[in-house]
Amino acid sequence: MRLKDKVAVITGGAQGIGRATALMMGREGAKVVVADLQGEKAQSVANELQGMGAQAIGVAVNVASESSVKQMAKATFEHFGRVDILGNIAGIYYPKASVVDLSEADWDRTIDINLGSNFLCCREFVPAMRKQKSGRIISVASGIGHYGMRQFSHYAASKAAIMGFVKSLAREVGADGITVNAICPGSANTSMPRQHRSEEEVMERLRSTPLPHILEPEDIAGSFLFLASDAAAFITGQSYNINSGNYMF
Amino acid sequence: MTQVALIAGGGGGIGGAVAQRMAAAGITVVIADNDGGAAERVKSEIVAGGGSADALAIDVTVAREVKAVVTDVAKRFGRVDILANIAGGSAYTKRIEELTWAQWKEVIDANLKGTFLMCREVAPIMQKQKSGRILNTASNYGVTGSALRTPYAAAKAGIITFTKSLALELAPDHVLANTVAPGPTDTPRVMQKESPEARQQRWWPNIPLGRTALPQDLAEMYYFLTTPESAAITGQTFHVNGGVVMP
């Protein structure tokens, strides 16, 4: 049990990479706060965790809302009394629009949810980690933050910005024993890419990576687990690519 | 089936820790080092602790030696699941105009050529197995460069891109290749050259996590890259450096 008695907050925990990460951490002994905009789905993941014998709660949260994030932190401390791991996984990949057609509202929404959530969640949890002189923050960025993607400039900008944020926070909190890293997944077998592509297109893309290995949410969760474990005590400020070899940065 | 790991440079600080970590996970480790005595010492420690290990001497810059060793290991153990190339180092700190051609070649060969020769012999075995993990070793200097270490930084940058190319070549056969890039690490070799106090003064203020690495910090990264949890990772570079470099 690599995370025995650690308290992990996983945003975006109701589905995809977030769900896989919540379940894997629970299996490794963590007490998990499954936080998601879809509160009912978050609760059902928490139920699944409890069924495995893990302690877990489901929390409805809007990670782009200051008050909602504060509520999530309050629930975490009320139930578990501490926080050891923060997984910033909540995010959106929407809408598909070229720069000249993108509305200001859609731009703001992507930046607020993908990037602003990192700021709001870290701001709530860093003080407790500082006090206990330990903590692990792991954020989901994306390869698209490195190489860009047409019709997703807002998403690419938000994900590149997460990497800058992660590096800066890593420098701020390193002396307090807190590590901050990013994981850049390639396109994974989740519902997210299916918002914009047909089932055939999604599977074709998943099969076209150099490594003949369809990227599953569990592949990403495995790296979350590693970075949250004692084995990664000396790793901070890094952005690790998990993508079946799709790009090498 | 017990996994077999061949660890070039396994007698050194980081290499020895990697051998220990893998052996602790039940992997049979073959420790290869140009210092045969150092390889034997690591082997004895592992065997004394109940692990499975073998030791041999190798100069990774000599093609026929590499071929002979890999052939022998494959024959005796029947397979090679993991190849960790950790041999190498920065032998000189010299201004470019003071560096001889022979010294340049020595550093390039010990790091880059050695990695190439080892991979060239082991890759076909892994391709036949349809599985394998190759772990090469770069350095944060391979990304940032370093004054007075031009051949070392060049070799390490070379290893990063060599590994990406190799990863693309071997991916269809489920052979994964990644690079680990250590930062300042407290190995016996560097601790000989510098007092702990001088080292702390030089490094600690510049490292966000406030210390230099222990070989064990690196060993965990190498080990992770051999596990099922890293099955989707290839062609990547993993910096383990306390935040001293964030590429």
Side-chain angles (χ1 to χ4, degrees):
Chain A
M1 299 263 259
R2 281 173 280 179
L3 302 180
K4 191 162 167 34
D5 295 330
K6 304 277 189 202
V7 175
V9 177
I10 307 298
T11 73
Q15 55 190 0
I17 292 168
R19 177 175 172 274
T21 301
L23 292 176
M24 202 176 279
M25 288 190 175
R27 263 196 296 278
E28 291 290 334
K31 303 171 183 173
V32 186
V33 177
V34 183
D36 203 287
L37 187 62
Q38 306 178 75
E40 277 177 31
K41 277 196 185 176
Q43 189 54 53
S44 85
V45 174
N47 293 346
E48 215 176 321
L49 278 157
Q50 288 163 3
M52 293 162 22
Q55 290 188 49
I57 57 169
V59 174
V61 67
N62 172 359
V63 289
S65 152
E66 205 167 5
S67 59
S68 182
V69 169
K70 279 186 196 297
Q71 283 299 319
M72 171 180 73
K74 194 161 164 264
T76 301
F77 293 120
E78 275 174 11
H79 274 85
F80 295 126
R82 58 184 289 131
V83 64
D84 300 286
I85 299 156
L86 169 62
N88 292 309
I89 305 184
I92 57 166
Y93 184 55
Y94 184 87
K96 181 176 181 174
S98 63
V99 171
V100 293
D101 296 326
L102 188 67
S103 72
E104 186 180 354
D106 281 333
W107 170 271
D108 286 346
R109 190 161 161 264
T110 295
I111 299 296
D112 288 355
I113 294 173
N114 291 1
L115 176 62
S117 61
N118 272 266
F119 162 62
L120 291 176
C121 294
C122 290
R123 198 177 58 172
E124 286 311 307
F125 288 111
V126 159
M129 291 179 173
R130 270 211 163 111
K131 227 172 272 171
Q132 72 203 18
K133 294 275 173 210
S134 72
R136 298 292 167 87
I137 297 170
I138 307 154
S139 297
V140 168
S142 167
I144 292 172
H146 277 133
Y147 61 72
M149 171 90 76
R150 64 201 161 97
Q151 298 176 305
F152 283 102
S153 60
H154 47 329
Y155 181 81
S158 73
K159 291 300 187 179
I162 288 171
M163 291 185 240
F165 174 79
V166 158
K167 293 176 192 181
S168 305
L169 185 63
R171 293 183 191 282
E172 264 184 52
V173 301
D176 296 304
I178 304 167
T179 69
V180 191
N181 294 289
I183 288 176
C184 300
S187 190
N189 193 13
T190 66
S191 61
M192 205 179 236
R194 291 178 166 85
Q195 292 174 295
H196 308 292
R197 296 190 173 86
S198 71
E199 184 62 24
E200 292 68 40
E201 285 173 322
V202 168
M203 291 314 293
E204 171 55 31
R205 274 170 61 89
L206 288 171
R207 287 196 194 98
S208 67
T209 53
L211 195 66
H213 176 106
I214 289 180
L215 194 67
E216 298 291 348
E218 288 72 20
D219 291 315
I220 314 302
S223 289
F224 261 92
L225 178 59
F226 172 69
L227 286 171
S229 74
D230 290 344
F234 202 59
I235 299 171
T236 199
Q238 307 302 322
S239 304
Y240 286 165
N241 295 312
I242 317 298
N243 58 29
S244 291
N246 208 30
Y247 62 88
M248 300 166 179
F249 199 76
Chain B
M1 193 176 342
T2 305
Q3 286 191 296
V4 177
L6 175 56
I7 303 172
I14 295 173
V18 169
Q20 294 274 7
R21 181 66 186 89
M22 290 188 187
I27 298 167
T28 295
V29 293
V30 181
I31 301 146
D33 205 289
N34 62 356
D35 181 346
E40 284 292 343
R41 280 192 293 280
V42 174
K43 173 194 163 181
S44 310
E45 283 170 25
I46 290 172
V47 171
S52 171
D54 200 358
L56 49 88
I58 192 175
D59 181 343
V60 294
T61 67
V62 180
R64 61 182 152 67
E65 240 180 84
V66 170
K67 192 180 176 66
V69 162
V70 172
T71 306
D72 173 57
V73 168
K75 197 179 284 173
R76 280 194 293 140
F77 295 91
R79 55 190 300 116
V80 182
D81 300 285
I82 297 155
L83 168 65
N85 287 307
I86 313 178
S90 174
Y92 306 102
T93 44
K94 282 186 145 190
R95 294 162 63 91
I96 190 165
E97 63 270 29
E98 290 159 0
L99 204 57
T100 67
W101 174 228
Q103 289 167 338
W104 167 272
K105 281 174 80 84
E106 182 189 333
V107 177
I108 296 290
D109 287 0
N111 293 283
L112 184 56
K113 185 178 177 178
T115 300
F116 157 63
L117 291 176
M118 292 297 297
C119 291
R120 191 177 63 169
E121 294 307 323
V122 172
I125 297 169
M126 292 179 166
Q127 284 180 290
K128 214 177 283 173
Q129 293 167 180
K130 299 280 175 209
S131 77
R133 304 287 179 102
I134 294 174
L135 313 169
N136 292 331
T137 305
S139 157
N140 55 337
Y141 291 152
V143 176
T144 63
S146 174
L148 310 182
R149 289 188 189 85
T150 47
Y152 182 70
K156 292 306 193 182
I159 286 171
I160 291 171
T161 310
F162 167 78
T163 305
K164 292 179 188 181
S165 307
L166 185 68
L168 290 168
E169 264 184 52
L170 304 183
D173 291 312
H174 296 269
V175 178
L176 281 51
N178 291 289
T179 303
V180 177
T185 305
D186 297 346
T187 61
R189 194 189 332 181
V190 300
M191 298 307 276
Q192 268 175 7
K193 294 183 195 161
E194 196 173 21
S195 74
E197 295 73 27
R199 203 168 155 71
Q200 283 181 23
Q201 263 177 9
R202 184 156 73 98
W203 283 114
W204 289 16
N206 303 316
I207 301 179
L209 288 180
R211 66 173 174 94
T212 38
L214 300 173
Q216 288 77 6
D217 292 314
L218 275 305
E220 294 290 352
M221 187 78 237
Y222 285 89
Y223 173 65
F224 172 68
L225 292 170
T226 70
T227 62
E229 280 155 10
S230 59
I233 304 177
T234 196
Q236 310 301 334
T237 308
F238 293 88
H239 291 264
V240 179
N241 60 29
V244 73
V245 173
M246 304 176 180

